[in-house]
Amino acid sequence: MSAAQLRAGRVGRHDADSQPGLWPLVGVLLSCLFLGYFVELDHGVLSSAGFSPIFALLLAVYDAHAAVLSTLICCAAAFWTNCAPIDGVAARFGRKPMIVIAAFVLAAAALTIFVYHDAPLAMDEYAAVFQSKVFAHGRIAAQLPPYLVKWLIAPGFNGVFLFASPITGNAVEAYWPGFALLLAPFQRLGLPWLCNPLLAGGALYLTHQITLEITADRRTAGFAVLFAIASGAFVANAISFYSMQAHLTANLLYAWLLMSPSRRRAFLAGLVGSLALILHNPVPHALFAIPWLASMAIDRGRRKFLLPLVFGYLPVTIVGGFGWFLYRNGIGDDLHRAASSLSGFASIYRWPDAVMMNARAAGLVKMWVWAAPCLLLFASIGFFRRRRDRNVRLLGWSAICTLAGYMFVVFDQGHGWGYRYFHSAWGSVPILAACAMTGNSAASVRLRSFAGANAILGLALLVPFQLTQMQGFIEWHQAQVPAPIRPGNDVYFVRPAGGFYIGDLIQNDPNLRSKDLILFSHGSQRDAALVHRYWPPATRVAWGPFGEEWNLGPIDQRRRTRADPHLHFVFPAAPVTRSR
């Protein structure tokens, strides 16, 4: 090959860096492409026909509106060419990350209360909250009145989200208990709304530290923090009660410990990994960890750290994972054990069909919409520019493995903000995107100005818009049943067919301490018999498609007992007589 050809090859390889306006153009085109997904949805190959109703609604309505705003932001950012103020913001974030992190934690805690209403929305969230309250009071299983289990837990949810025995009344969450253990101290202190914001603060600190270790540049680390807080997916999961924020933080800590391993750090990484395995199910961490384990096994210099890593995994995984699995499956009768088998491997994973491929395509779109505008583009640039760095490669492969692993999951995720199935590896994205923010060439400066403008406008406009969407949806969902009458207590009998995912509102405190009870309806006759058995003066005050609302009078019907000195509903041990 001639010198001229070699020079031509170098020019070809760096062609993108020699054209400052190329990446803004690519970003605008990609934004339009993802916006076009919503235009074409259900008009051809792209179909939502097999999606769960909640997934289809959040995608086609809420995410579609956010995609329009994201595209407009991207187009506006393409005209911003002054990099100096953006570099200044990133540099301040990089020099004083703890101030930014503290402010974010305080803001997220407030948003948990005022936007998320300090309560789980979906049953995935409620299961962990239920179990955390049990742990917070020093117990492993809740003790429900056995004959009321079918009222307290919707039948279709027993054996899927919770395991509750109608024989003994014992009840636990169906998932592995790691996140409930993390949440339990906050429940004990009456601060459950602080758990995920603090975990998000830890994730921001790790994002800063990992980026700083990779690039040795504080401004670049500041970009990583900016990209994270400017992304709706990160903010939304930080204020929710999903375990995905814990997955993200644990996986980042795991990666940070293994970036410069020693025997001690490898053992600690194993401990962190074991907690990540049992947060709610082992798949999210297993997919993230595969590249790190494979790299350590292949690299002779790092192979000596593999044994301490494995030893770190064993104790918590055996006790908290498999021990819990055996204990949980011992609760209930043969019917519940049969129900639990439905969530086995064969029913969750299979070769992708058209419906699953459409769900994964929708997940990719949700990833784009719920990140800072064009953030996935910047992450791709950063990965390819720094792919010779071992840690960058491993972070990229963790993200790829997570995406690929969920290709074979039959579910579309249902509820969730952003692409929830990817969120365990989402921490890689702002780090990789920040890796593209280095260099002083004209193209690098132009890329930083474009990326920074996207992030700042996303933080100012897109994230508040998505938070408003979340708040509106949660308030609409809760408004499907009437507000309780005060003073006193109300008992609701909910018919899941009478509303949109209204069965998810059947969420009762495991100790029955809440002022009101929300029960599964077994028909008006049996519901009325139950109320009059325990609260004869009660009156029916509302009825409709949702079910019925009964008011128990102005005097609080909850009692204190020797077993529980707090106010709670007390039921006699005798079974309820069934009406014919």
Side-chain angles (χ1 to χ4, degrees), residues 131-156:
Q131 189 62 48
S132 70
K133 291 180 178 179
V134 177
F135 286 152
H137 294 91
R139 303 182 65 179
I140 298 177
Q143 181 59 57
L144 304 176
Y147 42 87
L148 291 181
V149 165
K150 292 183 179 179
W151 267 273
L152 290 166
I153 302 172

Side-chain angles (χ1 to χ4, degrees), residues 91-401:
R92 283 192 289 273
F93 278 27
R95 286 195 306 267
K96 298 181 178 180
M98 298 310 298
I99 295 176
V100 177
I101 292 169
F104 178 84
V105 170
L106 291 174
L111 292 170
T112 304
I113 297 171
F114 297 109
V115 171
Y116 221 79
H117 294 276
D118 190 21
L121 171 65
M123 293 304 294
D124 285 317
E125 298 171 275
Y126 167 65
V129 171
F130 178 96
Q131 189 62 48
S132 70
K133 291 180 178 179
V134 177
F135 286 152
H137 294 91
R139 303 182 65 179
I140 298 177
Q143 181 59 57
L144 304 176
Y147 42 87
L148 291 181
V149 165
K150 292 183 179 179
W151 267 273
L152 290 166
I153 302 172
F157 295 161
N158 197 355
V160 177
F161 300 108
L162 299 175
F163 275 28
S165 169
I167 299 172
T168 66
N170 287 336
V172 298
E173 70 165 319
Y175 301 112
W176 287 17
F179 182 58
L181 286 168
L182 289 178
L183 187 55
F186 295 91
Q187 292 285 9
R188 185 70 178 176
L189 295 171
L191 306 171
W193 44 266
L194 190 55
C195 180
N196 267 349
L198 280 176
L199 287 171
L204 287 175
Y205 176 78
L206 290 165
T207 297
H208 179 274
Q209 291 301 109
I210 291 171
T211 309
L212 186 60
E213 191 165 329
I214 290 172
T215 65
D217 181 64
R218 288 191 174 275
R219 185 185 67 188
T220 305
F223 267 110
V225 173
L226 174 61
F227 289 150
I229 66 175
S231 297
F234 184 79
V235 177
N237 282 279
I239 70 172
S240 76
F241 287 90
Y242 280 111
S243 65
M244 304 318 298
Q245 182 58 60
H247 274 291
L248 186 154
T249 305
N251 283 342
L252 283 179
L253 180 56
Y254 179 85
W256 180 68
L257 288 168
L258 292 182
M259 284 172 63
S260 302
S262 63
R263 284 185 170 85
R264 179 174 175 271
R265 286 171 69 99
F267 180 76
L268 290 174
L271 287 177
V272 171
S274 64
L275 175 62
L277 283 176
I278 69 166
L279 280 172
H280 87 294
N281 81 65
V283 174
H285 175 69
L287 292 172
F288 184 92
I290 286 172
W292 299 86
L293 293 170
S295 175
M296 187 172 287
I298 293 169
D299 188 333
R300 288 185 179 181
R302 296 174 180 262
R303 201 174 295 163
K304 60 186 176 184
F305 304 123
L306 196 56
L307 195 59
L309 179 64
V310 172
F311 279 139
Y313 268 107
L314 291 178
V316 177
T317 303
I318 292 172
V319 176
F322 295 106
W324 176 265
F325 181 79
L326 294 173
Y327 176 79
R328 182 204 68 179
N329 283 4
I331 290 178
D333 53 19
D334 291 337
L335 175 62
H336 295 104
R337 284 193 285 274
S340 71
S341 68
L342 295 176
S343 60
F345 186 89
S347 64
I348 296 175
Y349 297 95
R350 67 165 182 250
W351 194 255
D353 57 17
V355 173
M356 292 167 63
M357 292 299 290
N358 266 303
R360 299 296 87 86
L364 185 61
V365 171
K366 290 173 79 70
M367 281 174 59
W368 181 274
V369 172
W370 280 85
C374 298
L375 187 61
L376 298 185
L377 169 63
F378 307 140
S380 300
I381 297 169
F383 177 73
F384 283 106
R385 282 186 177 178
R386 287 186 171 263
R387 62 187 180 277
R388 293 185 179 180
D389 185 302
R390 173 183 175 274
N391 296 318
V392 169
R393 286 199 310 274
L394 292 177
L395 286 169
W397 278 110
S398 288
I400 292 168
C401 282

Side-chain angles (χ1 to χ4, degrees), residues 66-84:
V68 174
L69 180 56
S70 179
T71 303
L72 292 174
I73 289 173
C74 178
C75 293
F79 290 97
W80 184 265
T81 58
N82 186 3
C83 193

